């Protein structure tokens, strides 16, 4: 090692020692870091470790038996192939539609943009299986379109084709929200310069706009791929004989109580998800060419040629109408006697819900309201530690909390069952484990939102307060948190919505004492009570939008007019 390299190493070690002393001398900051690390170890790392341990244990000894059994079963290989195929096909179509919507909203002079935008993000704030339930009502064997209008008596929406349709409608808003921001950051002067030199609209798109967007498109593709292969609810409702790994983990673990096969399949799915997550986070996300020119120099001149805007407007309108029809179908289905047979108006399904089934609604709402503020505050604390902190273990906290996005919910639920069903922590069947599940599943998005907000704030403001004698708690509560209020309340809204609509993790954790609304809906679909399931879904959507409306009113009174995602 040469002298210069040795000096750099010594300087780095010296800085690490100084950072450690600074953290250790601030008891509040030190305690917070220890608390966060313990939370991550207990509720993210330990459940995964126990799944890994269980998958390599047979007859109380280390063994590859479960993996050998899984890989020797033809259906297991088919299920893995199904999962990857579904992820690829869904990601292609979802990313394509998301880009189409984002381009139309950013580049074209179109009417009804507010409606398009609202409909494009509607699936994000709704239960994950609403589209699947609507597809059954509209396109199933007794579907309103297939049998009622087209007269097709044996229409089969179940299986790969129906699942792709549902997944695409569920996940294209993710691509839309990711890509519209990138398109808005492209400096229009670059494209207009090409137009001035004689390039056509198509030439500008294929040689400038699209190449600039390739990293963002790849990023959106991988994010949707992760969410698709991790999804449990849609394949469970409409997958039919097309089984995915997430569903098989549940069937093996809960249905057959074969924890060995369930954990082996879980590890395979985790490896696929984490490899895509690492590629997306540490390679694709860093390849962005959009901001080469810095801030956008001026407002983009929208495309107004009818030959371009009219076809795109028609396609966007048709997609919007289809999505709206999917969501309108649910309340209609809850208000008719028997879908596909007797369409006469009836409140029987709601009477059933209010007479016998109110407990899931109350339990879900109360537990979601309890978990929401804890999720928001903890997410902001962790975001603050990651962006502002300099301490040993910061990289572990950042990777572990963000990694939770890539871990399928079924695997988290299975890990919690294995870990917290024995002493010293017997939490299964309690409200505590459900609240913890809500917090740990929803926290990563709040952290990412908080990190983005903190990166836009000059740290010298906080440093000045510390120089004047404020401790880390005072700085965080009096300076940092007020400056990231929009991101904080955005995290609260997201946390509440996702807690109300979470399925995959909590389906392992519900009990007779605490049943959740999403699980109740799944159970009603399983026994064929589509009307009751529609009534539950309608109530869920009403509760979610009612609470969001109250949150927005409170935020408006506080002077926060916009919630940023």
């Amino acid at each position: 090692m040469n002298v210069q390299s040795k000096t750099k190493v010594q300087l780095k070690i010296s800085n690490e020692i100084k950072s450690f002393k600074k953290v250790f001398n601030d008891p509040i900051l030190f305690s917070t870091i220890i608390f966060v690390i313990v939370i991550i170890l207990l509720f993210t790392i330990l459940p995964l470790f126990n799944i890994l341990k269980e998958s390599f244990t047979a007859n109380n000894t280390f063994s590859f038996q479960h993996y050998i059994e899984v890989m020797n079963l033809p259906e297991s290989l088919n299920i893995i192939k199904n999962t990857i195929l579904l992820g690829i096909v869904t990601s292609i179509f979802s990313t394509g539609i998301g880009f189409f919507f984002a381009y139309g909203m950013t580049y074209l002079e179109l009417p009804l943009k507010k409606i398009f935008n609202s409909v494009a993000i509607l699936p994000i704030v709704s239960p994950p299986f609403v589209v699947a339930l609507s597809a059954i009502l509209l396109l199933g064997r007794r579907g309103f379109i297939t049998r009622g209008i087209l007269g097709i008596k044996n229409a089969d929406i179940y299986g790969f084709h129906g699942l792709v349709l549902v997944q695409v409608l569920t996940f294209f808003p993710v691509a839309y929200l990711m890509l519209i921001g990138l398109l808005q950051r492209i400096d229009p002067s670059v494209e207009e310069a090409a137009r001035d030199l004689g390039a056509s609209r198509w030439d500008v798109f294929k040689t400038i706009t699209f190449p600039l967007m390739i990293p963002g498109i790849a990023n959106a593709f991988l994010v949707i791929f992760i969410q698709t292969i991790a999804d449990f609810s849609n394949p469970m409702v409409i997958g039919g004989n097309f089984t995915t790994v997430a569903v098989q983990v549940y069937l093996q673990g809960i249905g057959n109580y074969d924890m060995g096969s369930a954990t082996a399949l879980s590890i395979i799915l985790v490896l696929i998800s984490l490899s895509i997550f690492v590629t997306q986070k540490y390679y694709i996300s860093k390849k962005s060419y959009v901001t080469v020119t810095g801030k956008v120099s001026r407002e983009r001149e929208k495309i107004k040629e009818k030959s371009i805007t009219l076809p795109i407007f028609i396609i966007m309108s048709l997609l919007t109408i289809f999505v709206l029809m999917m969501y309108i179908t649910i309340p209609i289905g809850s208000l008719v006697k028997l879908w596909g047979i007797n369409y006469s108006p009836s409140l029987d399904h709601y009477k059933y819900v209010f007479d016998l089934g109110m407990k899931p609604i109350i339990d879900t709402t109360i537990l979601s309201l309890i978990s929401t503020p804890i999720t928001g505050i903890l997410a902001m604390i962790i975001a603050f530690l990651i962006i502002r902190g300099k301490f040993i273990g910061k990289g572990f906290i950042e990777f572990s909390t963000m990694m939770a996005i890539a871990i399928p919910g079924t695997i988290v639920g299975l890990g919690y069952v294995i870990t917290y069903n024995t002493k010293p922590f017997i939490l299964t069947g309690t409200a505590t484990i459900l609240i913890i599940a809500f917090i740990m599943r929803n926290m990563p998005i709040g952290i990412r939102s908080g990190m983005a907000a903190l990166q836009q704030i000059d740290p010298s403001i906080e440093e000045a307060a510390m120089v004047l004698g404020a401790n880390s708690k005072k700085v965080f509560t009096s300076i940092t948190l007020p400056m990231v209020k929009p991101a904080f309340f955005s995290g609260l809204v997201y946390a509440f919505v996702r807690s109300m609509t979470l399925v995959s993790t909590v389906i392992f954790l519900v009990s007779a004492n605490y049943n959740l609304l999403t699980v109740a809906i799944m159970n009603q679909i399983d026994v064929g009570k589509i009307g009751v399931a529609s009534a539950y879904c309608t109530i869920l959507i009403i509760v979610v939008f009612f609470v969001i409306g109250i949150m927005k009113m409170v935020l408006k009174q506080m002077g926060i007019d916009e919630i940023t995602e």
Side-chain angles (χ1 to χ4, degrees), residues 486 552 555-564:
K552 286 190 174 182
L555 295 182
K556 198 169 184 182
Q557 293 295 321
M558 295 172 64
I560 303 172
D561 294 326
E562 186 178 347
I563 297 177
T564 57

Side-chain angles (χ1 to χ4, degrees), residues 365-386:
T365 306
I366 291 173
L367 295 177
S368 297
L369 288 172
I370 291 171
S371 68
T372 294
I374 301 171
T375 305
I377 293 169
L378 194 55
M380 287 301 118
I381 289 172
I382 294 173
F384 177 79
L385 292 177
I386 293 171

Side-chain angles (χ1 to χ4, degrees), residues 80 110 192 224 327 360 384 388 425 517 524:
I80 294 169
L110 296 175
E192 288 170 12
I224 292 171
Y327 283 89
F384 177 79
R388 296 289 192 257
F425 301 110
L517 188 47
Q524 296 300 328

Side-chain angles (χ1 to χ4, degrees), residues 124-127 368 372 442 491-502 540 544-545 548 551:
I124 291 177
V125 296
S126 66
S368 297
T372 294
N442 299 324
L492 290 184
V493 171
Y494 178 87
F496 177 77
V497 170
R498 300 321 296 176
S499 295
M500 289 291 295
T501 60
L502 189 63
L540 177 54
V544 166
F545 279 97
I548 289 176
M551 285 184 175

Side-chain angles (χ1 to χ4, degrees), residues 136-157 340:
I136 293 171
L137 293 172
L138 292 174
L139 305 170
R141 294 184 182 93
R142 295 189 178 277
F144 180 75
I145 293 175
T146 48
R147 187 160 187 170
I149 297 176
L150 301 178
I152 303 171
K153 294 185 179 180
N154 296 314
D156 189 7
I157 190 63

Side-chain angles (χ1 to χ4, degrees), residues 335-349:
L335 291 168
V336 299
K337 194 80 175 174
L338 185 60
W339 189 270
I341 296 175
N342 185 354
Y343 287 105
S344 59
S346 172
L347 293 174
D348 288 350
H349 305 309

